[in-house]
Amino acid sequence: MDPRSGFEAVFLDPVGQSVQQRWADASVAVAFEELPPVSAFPAIPGRRWGPGLWWSATTGRHVAAGSNAMRAQLMVLDRDPDVTGLAGRPVRLLWREERGRVRSWVPQLFARYRDGTGLLADCPSHPEAGGDRAVKAAEAVGAACEEIGWAYRRLAPLDDVLAANLKWLAGYRHPRNAGRPGLTPAVVEAFARPRPLIKGAEEAGDPIEILPAVFHALWNGKLKTDLEKPLHERTLVGPADWSGPGRTAGGAR
């Protein structure tokens, strides 16, 4: 890649018209987190999971997702308190190689952070996915992001246990699972000191009512547990500042 050639961004404006603009200018002026995909995710015959939509607890809107691996990464970013916006494939990057050939790449995922910076990411199902073309594109897109103080990542697939736990908690991500007014403070108080999940739920009230609120609090970080171990009724749950369990899933910064 010839860095002197610069980068261009292609995206869809609010009425669906394609726009091409200098990358450095677009990164400042365009709210990529609010844009639709610049091109559709491909539907590949034979795959168990195809393109779909992820409802984001961060934004209250749907995000286009092209694969199960991407959906898993959306779960991680949707829990990150520093993330304020998410979008699937909102921008295509163009650049010119040293020999003059124009190249392009559409990163799968965009995340906006609270400080205004952005993350462009791809979500391969395995480290070698995409082959040599993906490796070269990663170098170029990484350089484009570095120029403007953003980041590019090829996000590694999640561990199976972590992915399963996040999938379970994501089922309770909607605010309705916080329950009636005053229930969340009671749930947090029940786990002011770490205790098994079912014991804290029973202390706070009827587990049928309480458990959805517990899972919602674990999703949004008001409670904490070790998500790298299988969730079950004896799983230790503690307050948000508890240092006991292993790391919880956070964003890719």
Side-chain angles (χ1 to χ4, degrees), residues 97-157:
E97 292 182 330
E98 292 182 2
R99 296 182 179 181
R101 184 174 180 179
V102 175
R103 294 289 190 179
S104 72
W105 190 258
V106 183
Q108 291 178 295
L109 180 59
F110 172 78
R112 177 77 68 183
Y113 288 109
R114 196 172 302 280
D115 62 5
T117 60
L119 168 74
L120 289 176
D122 285 306
C123 311
S125 58
H126 55 88
E128 294 79 26
D132 187 57
R133 181 170 180 265
V135 171
K136 292 180 178 179
E139 294 175 356
V141 177
C145 288
E146 185 176 1
E147 282 185 1
I148 59 171
W150 288 9
Y152 169 78
R153 300 281 187 272
R154 274 175 62 87
L155 300 174

Side-chain angles (χ1 to χ4, degrees), residues 61-74:
R61 299 195 300 266
H62 284 99
V63 180
S67 67
N68 198 36
M70 181 178 174
R71 184 183 66 171
Q73 299 298 344
L74 280 169

